[in-house]
Amino acid sequence: MSDTDDDAQQGTTAFELIGGEPAIHALVERFYDLMDLEPGYAALRATHGPDLASAREKLNWFLCGWMGGPQHYVERFGHPRLRARHMPFKIGIQERDQWLACMAQAMEEVQVHPALRERLQESFFQTADWMRNV
Ligand code: HEM
């Protein structure tokens, strides 16, 4: 068994590397806790409604599949169509950057391995940037 750096380079799924469903759940919980707590993410928080429970559940299901694990989100809702689903919310550079910073902080705090963090952050950037609609 090689170490995590080697695995990341050889394309093992991010789902396996991060530690499966419990690790993704912990990451998503921290992501939304930080969004709620940190003044630096206020513009991002403001795009959401008062209750983050459904967003927590959906991002958790989505990321499992997105990282190469079980397709919980697709089984429940079909194709993610993420850009279309985000159209009701104003997403500009500020919201994009706050989403990415919030996720980077969450990944660091739940101690995602640095090599994996870097790989995920690049993919998150592509997805978040494509979501801009203003
Ligand atoms: C770029 C900045 C982003 C903003 C401002 C944003 C904002 C939002 C908001 C307001 C919701 C609705 C939450 C609710 O149901 O109450 C949502 C849902 C969601 N977001 Fe984002 N989001 C962003 C980026 C992303 C990215 C990068 C991903 C994935 C990597 C993502 C994945 C999701 C998913 C899976 C849902 C649930 C969609 C559904 O089934 O309704 N979002 N987002």
Side-chain angles (χ1 to χ4, degrees):
M1 184 85 179
S2 50
D3 70 26
T4 309
D5 282 324
D6 289 341
D7 284 346
Q9 277 154 20
Q10 285 161 18
T12 305
T13 67
F15 179 80
E16 290 166 68
L17 291 172
I18 202 169
E21 295 197 30
I24 292 175
H25 184 252
L27 173 63
V28 169
E29 288 299 294
R30 192 61 193 146
F31 173 77
Y32 282 110
D33 287 349
L34 287 168
M35 195 193 291
D36 230 4
L37 286 167
E38 295 278 343
Y41 308 136
L44 174 62
R45 179 64 187 85
T47 64
H48 294 72
D51 185 359
L52 293 172
S54 138
R56 285 177 192 267
E57 198 165 51
K58 287 175 171 174
L59 187 61
N60 183 28
W61 284 330
F62 175 79
L63 288 182
C64 285
W66 188 79
M67 290 195 198
Q71 297 286 337
H72 298 309
Y73 183 93
V74 173
E75 280 163 16
R76 287 166 176 83
F77 307 110
H79 191 284
R81 298 184 300 108
L82 275 193
R83 192 162 195 285
R85 289 194 211 263
H86 283 75
M87 275 300 173
F89 319 114
K90 173 188 166 279
I91 304 183
I93 300 273
Q94 189 187 28
E95 290 79 11
R96 177 200 69 185
D97 288 349
Q98 289 190 8
W99 196 102
L100 291 168
C102 187
M103 183 53 81
Q105 187 177 343
M107 286 199 288
E108 192 176 349
E109 289 189 11
V110 302
Q111 299 185 330
V112 176
H113 189 282
L116 178 58
R117 232 152 67 197
E118 203 176 309
R119 172 176 151 188
L120 290 173
Q121 194 67 18
E122 274 178 34
S123 302
F124 281 135
F125 176 84
Q126 301 300 332
T127 305
D129 190 53
W130 169 70
M131 226 86 91
R132 282 191 292 125
N133 54 29
V134 289

